[in-house]
Amino acid sequence: MTKHSWAQELLRRPAGVAAAAWIVLLVVAAVVSSVWTPHDPFDTDPYSAWQTPSLNHLFGTDGIGRDIFSYVFAATRTTVVVAALAGVLASLVGIGLAALGSLTARWVRESTAVLIDILIAFPTILIAMLLSSILGGSLGVVITAVGIGYGVNIARVSRGEIRRVGRTDYVLAARASGVGSAGVLGRHILPNVAPVFVVQLSLAMATSILAEAGLSYLGYGASASTASWGRLLNDLQVYIAIHPGSVVWPGAAITLTVLAFNLLGDALRDATDPRLRARRATSEAIA
Amino acid sequence: MSSARFPLPKRLLAAASLAVATALVVAGCSSGGTTGETGKPDAAAVVNVGLVLEPTDLDIRTTAGIALDQVLIDNVYQGLVGRTSTNDIVDVLATKHTVSSDGLTYTFTLHQGVRFHDGADLTAADVVWSLQQVKDTATFQNTADLAAVKSISSPDADTVVLKLSEPDSNLLWALSGRAGLVLEEAATNDLKTTANGTGPYTLASWKQGDNIQLKRFSDYWGTKAKVAGVTFRYYTQASAAINAVISGDVDVQTAVDATLKSQLTGVDGISLKSGKTTDKYTLAFNNAEAPFTDIRVRKAIREAIDSKAIITAVGGSGVEQGGPIPELDPGYDDLTSVDSYDPDDARKLLKAAGATNLKLSLTYANFYPASLGDVLTSQLKKVGITLTVKQTDFTTWINNVLVKHDYQLSIVNHAESHDFGNWANPKYYFGYDNTKVQELYAESLAATDQTVVDEKLAEAAKIVSDDAAADWLYTATTLTAIHDGVTGFPTSSTSARLDLANLAKS
Amino acid sequence: MFRFVLSRLVLLVIGLVVASALIFFTLRLLTGDVAQVIAGTQGTAAQVAAIRTQLGLDRPLPVQYLDWLAGMLHGDLGTSLVTGSSVSSQLLQKLTVTLPLAGMSLVIGLLVGIPLGVVAAVRNRRPEGTALSVVAQALAAVPAVWGGMILIAVFAVALKLLPTQGYPSDGWAEPGRALRSLLLPALTIGIIEGAVILRFTRSATLGALDEDYVRTAAAKGMTRTRAVLTHGLPNVLLSVVSVLGVQMAALLVGAVLVEQLFALPGVGRMLVADVGVRDLTKVQGELLALTGLVLILGFIVDLVHRAVDPRLREPGE
């Protein structure tokens, strides 16, 4: 199946189109916010704290008088960077582990399987907490933690798929004719499991956004000098009883974006390969 | 020599009005002061008190942390002398004390009939032993406080005499803290989990991670406690603390977050009281490293900072502070006019120093509010300084900033009273080395007349402030929420000490 | 089957040992030192060194590691470096909050997810089925922290039905209060988890609807719904069980965040605090207990799955 037909299939699905549109909008916002925001997102003015939404402050202001709209807007950059890099890293880790766990000698396969099981037992958030305590909190830590954490999930899901493809006649034939593991992986297996990865990539991005928000909320994520939806949630949390309205914005931004990546993942799955619907169960469980 | 302690998370930034120590009567509240009027005290009552930081263990001798002082000193452990909530020295286990005119001999007359919680009588030998232990044991907290003491002896059963090798005007203050606590020589209890003192309360139980219970000591030598017991509960989250006081889980909540005080407004039967502290929220500069070796840069940063805006950002829970000494400490002068807010001049100074487009990093512990870093970033940006903020956990902060001096700017609540000595210690993390200040401080310690002490300290403080060795963001005021019927609860310096001898509940 | 159990058991033990080594040595990379924390900001270098010796932290790392492993063979997770109390007793005490929280969340998740998931599948492509799917998609995307804040704003602040935060200090001595304190946190995790389970159940049921036995039953005059319920449901439930193993980790993550938000004195908050003061003995004990719990649950789920579903056997095994 070619990329062209995926795209066409995708465009026939309204949820997929809406999701893709939201993500495009997000990327545009990320680019625009690096040159322009209505107010400086880091500009504080404690004397005009907790203003209600107005034309000047679309989402109102927070406890130190920051413009919430500008801050949420500027934080799209963080979100886009984290989603993109964490997604790529997770895919690399996932493909690597899955290949190790399916195409190699039995003892390597078994050890990889054990390693995957152990790593899955380690909640991503704990990996990130440890990394950020060692290295200091930063987006790099979040990206690494989600990359490893979700990569392991991808590996678990894809292991079976790779193994299945690895047992098909044409791969066995290729092996018999002397093509090495790397060759088999590159030429036969990856193209065939690509649809699974594309879907997983999308879900990994959704997870990375939730993880970034959670970690920044706990104070283990983005540094204070980086705008982040999770950190804004943390800042606003104690005021939930007095100013409940203000937490709506960062929360809705996170939810919509995660939703968009999930929907895109689903739409891609449907678009790429109807056969995959049967396996939908496994990947959804992890998403 | 005392040094900073870093006890208090977000909530300590709490306090109501700028008019310090004014009782803020919130709603339908009948009790206005800290001593009782209405209702009959209930001798069987247990008062629940909400605090912020729980001690890690109870060893008053070796374990650092103001959380221990707060609960145990005055209430469970006592010294020859103590201090009031506004930092005046008073006799406790001593009926009186005299200081010789050369400042080298301190004579204490002991109270008679004082009993330890295990039933043993207090003897002069216990006092001598306790002080000697602190002086001789390097791993004890505050051991350096007794450095000037040459000998500790008891010429008779009622008297303890300290002889000094040189005068130390800070000695009585030190003796009112950990260095002066009197423990029983014969006792064998485990200090990590139990306590055997002479105070009005015994330590009844410690449920780690949750509460500490004190009970009235029925053999107490002085006026016995008016309540049957006190239970301290710990709330590290500001909003949880507010909920606890509203729901009645606690009768008193200390260090209420001022940015949340509107939640307590209009709640029947709860009043909010504002009190003074010595909590100096300090923006420390690494004076030993460039660019802070240039006084113009240091002054520019001070002038770029609008303390009033910062105090507003923390809910109004502070007063401006212009130098290293807070109002409650000896040597205080109003220095707020030194390097006051003037962003235009700050830009000029930076230009003159060739420090335009300065990039600095600010490292501080994550239990202080993120808003401090946010407001500073925004204020410094207006004079062309780009600030990168890193909030780390406290342990990383100790390691990197306090021990290794690996930092540029840091925010610390130097909560301890009488801690000017840090500015006279070039090895401290401030990296501030000024011989004149060191001389003046030494002279203040050597002085035998309190007015001379005050003068010397004030002169030294003025130099430190003129040198722009740091920026003192504000001195915190602290808010205490008290349910009607509870009286005798101190409202000043509650983060340092909490003397509950007069506590009553009706 | 016996060979399978044995091989899984060996893998489990290897897993625990590898996890313990990973945890132990990774933690040693943390900056900062518990001895410095105990000595405080006034602590001199000599004081810090004395405390390190006293705590046995000056011994070589492999010796400390083996010592810890040996202790664990006797079921001893070690003692806290800061308070000197036993790690297992602390952990057990905190588990009285975290386990009920996780349990309640799971129950809520299953109660919401499975029935609605089946409904969504049976009513597929009809308005109510689509609505359920859409809502589930949206809820599954809600960050737990935000979900919790909204629940607080609605049920605690506006309606004043439940406490906002905190936990009774005598815990289960007052079961009513403890349950009320756990209800909002459990709902937070449970609803989001339920949305995930709903989506999963829906897919599994849709799969079952296509299976021959359901078609046959339907052909014999049963309604499709009844056919699914009687013949398909066991298989659907089986797949849900296999997924729960994986979801345990997600549940724990949820617990860490939600305990923080609701100020619950559970394992998650204890862990965050212990990392903060570098009480490494305690942190490693807690991490190993959590990881071990997930590994062992995974092991059990595997066995159950294997026992019930012979299709899983690989050829050649």
Side-chain angles (χ1 to χ4, degrees):
Chain A
M1 196 173 285
T2 64
K3 280 188 176 162
H4 181 63
S5 62
W6 293 9
Q8 280 182 336
E9 278 288 321
L10 187 63
L11 286 178
R12 279 195 217 122
R13 290 156 213 279
V17 172
W22 177 260
I23 291 165
V24 169
L25 192 70
L26 201 69
V27 175
V28 171
V31 174
V32 171
S33 72
S34 35
V35 285
W36 176 83
T37 50
H39 294 265
D40 178 342
F42 295 106
D43 193 18
T44 63
D45 175 10
Y47 302 110
S48 48
W50 301 122
Q51 296 198 353
T52 47
S54 63
L55 271 185
N56 189 23
H57 297 291
L58 283 178
F59 294 172
T61 61
D62 70 0
I64 46 176
R66 279 185 305 203
D67 179 46
I68 296 181
F69 176 77
S70 300
Y71 190 90
V72 169
F73 189 40
T76 51
R77 247 176 297 161
T78 309
T79 305
V80 167
V81 168
V82 168
L85 295 183
V88 168
L89 184 61
S91 309
L92 290 179
V93 171
I95 294 174
L97 281 179
L100 270 184
S102 53
L103 299 174
T104 45
R106 188 191 165 103
W107 70 271
V108 182
R109 283 209 314 261
E110 300 272 330
S111 336
T112 313
V114 174
L115 187 70
I116 290 177
D117 283 347
I118 296 168
L119 288 178
I120 277 196
F122 251 119
T124 307
I125 229 148
L126 295 184
I127 302 179
M129 268 172 58
L130 288 183
L131 279 178
S132 97
S133 299
I134 295 167
L135 305 167
S138 69
L139 289 184
V141 164
V142 176
I143 290 165
T144 314
V146 174
I148 296 173
Y150 201 80
V152 177
N153 277 337
I154 294 187
R156 201 182 216 191
V157 173
S158 328
R159 196 166 46 181
E161 185 68 12
I162 291 189
R163 207 176 277 181
R164 187 188 62 77
V165 176
R167 289 214 190 90
T168 52
D169 293 343
Y170 57 90
V171 172
L172 292 177
R175 279 192 179 237
S177 62
V179 180
S181 279
V184 171
L185 182 69
R187 247 176 283 163
H188 299 287
I189 296 186
L190 283 187
N192 274 291
V193 296
V196 182
F197 280 122
V198 174
V199 172
Q200 290 296 322
L201 182 66
S202 183
L203 298 177
M205 289 178 170
T207 307
S208 69
I209 293 162
L210 281 179
E212 192 276 325
L215 287 167
S216 295
Y217 167 79
L218 286 176
Y220 288 102
S223 79
S225 307
T226 314
S228 145
W229 293 337
R231 186 173 172 242
L232 187 59
L233 273 186
N234 185 12
D235 288 351
L236 298 175
Q237 178 215 316
V238 279
Y239 305 106
I240 185 83
I242 320 174
H243 305 285
S246 49
V247 301
V248 166
W249 311 108
I254 298 170
T255 306
L256 285 175
T257 308
V258 172
L259 181 62
F261 278 107
N262 278 342
L263 287 175
L264 186 71
D266 287 1
L268 277 172
R269 177 167 41 216
D270 293 350
T272 48
D273 190 349
R275 276 180 314 151
L276 286 176
R277 278 183 204 163
R279 271 181 288 280
R280 175 180 227 178
T282 336
S283 38
E284 269 193 14
I286 294 159
Chain B
M1 185 169 305
S2 57
S3 138
R5 294 197 185 149
F6 307 82
L8 292 167
K10 308 185 175 182
R11 242 138 24 81
L12 194 69
L13 286 180
S17 64
L18 293 175
V20 179
T22 317
L24 239 179
V25 180
V26 171
C29 147
S30 54
S31 55
T34 56
T35 42
E37 308 92 26
T38 53
K40 211 174 123 205
D42 174 7
V46 173
V47 177
N48 292 303
V49 176
L51 303 178
V52 182
L53 268 204
E54 185 181 7
T56 49
D57 70 63
L58 300 181
D59 190 340
I60 198 81
R61 288 256 165 103
T62 57
T63 301
I66 217 156
L68 267 186
D69 302 34
Q70 196 183 27
V71 169
L72 295 182
I73 304 183
D74 300 330
N75 300 320
V76 176
Y77 293 113
Q78 295 177 316
L80 293 169
V81 289
R83 58 182 84 148
T84 65
S85 66
T86 46
N87 290 344
D88 297 316
I89 300 291
V90 288
D91 288 320
V92 179
L93 293 179
T95 50
K96 62 169 184 159
H97 66 267
T98 54
V99 184
S100 64
S101 56
D102 61 0
L104 292 178
T105 308
Y106 286 65
T107 309
F108 298 89
T109 309
L110 278 188
H111 239 293
Q112 290 306 300
V114 175
R115 263 204 195 139
F116 283 102
H117 297 157
D118 68 355
D121 288 321
L122 170 79
T123 65
D126 288 319
V127 180
V128 173
W129 172 80
S130 297
L131 298 185
Q132 196 69 51
Q133 284 268 303
V134 173
K135 181 167 168 52
D136 294 346
T137 317
T139 53
F140 279 13
Q141 293 286 316
N142 296 64
T143 175
D145 283 358
L146 302 185
V149 176
K150 197 168 62 183
S151 72
I152 306 161
S153 60
S154 65
D156 60 65
D158 301 341
T159 316
V160 172
V161 177
L162 270 63
K163 287 203 186 301
L164 276 63
S165 50
E166 54 191 347
D168 178 0
S169 64
N170 215 23
L171 183 69
L172 281 176
W173 174 260
L175 288 176
S176 76
R178 287 210 191 181
L181 295 182
V182 177
L183 278 69
E184 183 190 343
E185 186 174 2
T188 53
N189 62 315
D190 179 6
L191 290 180
K192 269 187 184 306
T193 50
T194 61
N196 176 33
T198 55
Y201 296 94
T202 60
L203 176 80
S205 72
W206 175 30
K207 192 170 154 207
Q208 212 183 318
D210 191 48
N211 70 63
I212 293 178
Q213 295 188 8
L214 305 184
K215 285 216 160 61
R216 180 197 295 130
F217 178 41
S218 49
D219 275 346
Y220 183 54
W221 57 270
T223 313
K224 294 184 183 44
K226 299 184 181 82
V227 291
V230 179
T231 303
F232 297 104
R233 299 185 194 284
Y234 291 91
Y235 300 92
T236 42
Q237 275 157 300
S239 44
I242 298 255
N243 294 329
V245 73
I246 293 176
S247 70
D249 282 354
V250 295
D251 300 299
V252 179
Q253 179 64 51
T254 63
V256 171
D257 187 332
T259 62
L260 297 175
K261 64 175 184 258
S262 66
Q263 273 184 267
L264 293 174
T265 316
V267 178
D268 272 352
I270 297 175
S271 58
L272 269 179
K273 308 230 172 14
S274 177
K276 296 184 192 188
T277 74
T278 55
D279 291 1
K280 305 168 285 296
Y281 278 79
T282 308
L283 178 69
F285 305 154
N286 192 345
N287 285 279
E289 303 275 337
F292 304 102
T293 42
D294 186 334
I295 189 171
R296 289 169 298 190
V297 172
R298 303 198 301 263
K299 280 188 170 297
I301 294 174
R302 287 196 72 184
E303 290 181 355
I305 292 171
D306 179 2
S307 295
K308 285 198 185 81
I310 290 177
I311 292 168
T312 308
V314 296
S317 60
V319 288
E320 287 182 81
Q321 184 184 340
I325 297 183
E327 199 191 332
L328 289 180
D329 276 356
Y332 168 76
D333 260 335
D334 183 352
L335 298 172
T336 46
S337 57
V338 181
D339 295 330
S340 57
Y341 181 51
D342 187 350
D344 292 330
D345 195 52
R347 273 185 289 267
K348 276 183 214 145
L349 282 168
L350 286 172
K351 203 168 170 201
T356 44
N357 275 327
L358 197 57
K359 289 188 172 49
L360 296 175
S361 70
L362 165 67
T363 310
Y364 69 106
N366 55 13
F367 47 61
Y368 300 128
S371 58
L372 285 179
D374 292 334
V375 175
L376 283 176
T377 305
S378 147
Q379 292 186 350
L380 291 181
K381 192 176 178 185
K382 295 196 172 101
V383 300
I385 297 174
T386 311
L387 198 61
T388 311
V389 181
K390 275 184 286 186
Q391 276 193 281
T392 65
D393 62 32
F394 182 46
T395 312
T396 307
W397 182 88
I398 294 189
N399 188 61
N400 293 352
V401 178
L402 190 81
V403 177
K404 291 187 184 153
H405 301 195
D406 177 14
Y407 80 106
Q408 290 191 305
L409 294 167
S410 185
I411 297 173
V412 177
N413 169 14
H414 284 274
E416 183 136 316
S417 179
H418 288 59
D419 65 353
F420 182 80
N422 292 332
W423 297 105
N425 173 10
K427 290 196 179 115
Y428 201 56
Y429 82 104
F430 297 149
Y432 178 66
D433 189 357
N434 182 316
T435 15
K436 182 69 187 160
V437 169
Q438 288 152 28
E439 281 167 24
L440 283 167
Y441 182 62
E443 284 166 31
S444 85
L445 289 180
T448 52
D449 177 353
Q450 188 60 38
T451 50
V452 180
V453 173
D454 290 357
E455 277 167 27
K456 297 286 180 191
L457 284 174
E459 194 184 340
K462 177 84 166 68
I463 297 174
V464 174
S465 182
D466 284 340
D467 264 350
D471 188 60
W472 296 273
L473 302 173
Y474 60 93
T475 313
T477 47
T478 189
L479 270 188
T480 310
I482 303 178
H483 273 263
D484 288 358
V486 174
T487 55
F489 197 91
T491 51
S492 282
S493 304
T494 54
S495 61
R497 295 274 278 265
L498 216 49
D499 184 348
L500 301 179
N502 296 317
L503 184 67
K505 186 180 176 182
S506 56
Chain C
M1 186 71 194
F2 175 73
R3 243 194 95 193
F4 175 77
V5 173
L6 197 68
S7 72
R8 288 299 303 172
L9 201 59
V10 170
L11 287 182
L12 175 68
V13 171
I14 296 176
L16 286 172
V17 172
V18 173
S20 72
L22 268 180
I23 291 169
F24 184 90
F25 291 101
T26 316
L27 284 176
R28 281 358 186 237
L29 298 173
L30 288 173
T31 36
D33 178 356
V34 68
Q36 183 74 55
V37 175
I38 295 172
T41 52
Q42 297 154 287
T44 59
Q47 226 167 318
V48 173
I51 295 173
R52 287 183 62 84
T53 312
Q54 201 183 327
L55 295 174
L57 296 176
D58 53 348
R59 296 171 302 159
L61 280 187
V63 174
Q64 293 184 45
Y65 173 65
L66 290 178
D67 199 37
W68 180 52
L69 268 194
M72 270 186 310
L73 287 181
H74 304 104
D76 175 12
L77 282 176
T79 51
S80 157
L81 295 174
V82 176
T83 61
S85 55
S86 117
V87 173
S88 15
S89 70
Q90 287 284 303
L91 199 59
L92 283 179
Q93 200 214 328
K94 302 293 178 188
L95 279 174
T96 63
V97 178
T98 304
L99 277 189
L101 172 63
M104 283 167 73
S105 313
L106 193 62
V107 169
I108 294 173
L110 291 173
L111 285 181
V112 171
I114 293 181
L116 292 183
V118 172
V119 171
V122 172
R123 301 280 169 190
N124 193 25
R125 290 179 203 285
R126 284 190 227 169
E128 59 270 36
T130 312
L132 273 175
S133 300
V134 169
V135 171
Q137 274 279 16
L139 284 179
V142 169
V145 176
W146 189 53
M149 288 181 202
I150 292 176
L151 288 179
I152 290 178
V154 174
F155 290 101
V157 178
L159 301 176
K160 300 197 187 302
L161 287 176
L162 291 165
T164 359
Q165 278 184 316
Y167 189 73
S169 78
D170 32 9
W172 290 98
E174 292 175 81
R177 279 194 69 195
L179 273 178
R180 276 165 54 86
S181 305
L182 288 180
L183 195 54
L184 278 187
L187 273 175
T188 307
I189 308 178
I191 291 177
I192 296 171
E193 206 55 24
V196 174
I197 295 175
L198 189 157
R199 294 176 60 204
F200 177 74
T201 310
R202 177 178 168 270
S203 306
T205 316
L206 279 179
L209 281 169
D210 277 346
E211 296 283 344
D212 292 342
Y213 51 86
V214 175
R215 286 163 191 249
T216 315
K220 282 182 183 163
M222 253 184 186
T223 63
R224 254 164 50 98
T225 311
R226 266 201 73 190
V228 167
L229 289 183
T230 40
H231 300 289
L233 203 56
N235 280 322
V236 170
L237 290 182
L238 192 62
S239 345
V240 172
V241 168
S242 73
V243 161
L244 289 182
V246 182
Q247 285 300 104
M248 282 310 295
L251 220 62
L252 283 175
V253 172
V256 172
L257 288 169
V258 162
E259 281 174 12
Q260 199 72 20
L261 174 62
F262 286 93
L264 297 175
V267 177
R269 276 188 77 206
M270 174 166 74
L271 193 59
V272 173
D274 290 338
V275 172
V277 295
R278 301 295 181 273
D279 192 344
L280 296 189
T281 323
K282 215 165 151 213
V283 174
Q284 71 201 16
E286 290 155 4
L287 281 182
L288 190 70
L290 291 182
T291 323
L293 191 70
V294 178
L295 283 176
I296 291 168
L297 281 173
F299 169 73
I300 295 171
V301 166
D302 263 9
L303 290 194
V304 170
H305 213 192
R306 180 79 166 201
V308 188
D309 190 350
R311 283 178 304 178
L312 278 178
R313 280 166 213 254
E314 276 186 38
E317 204 175 87

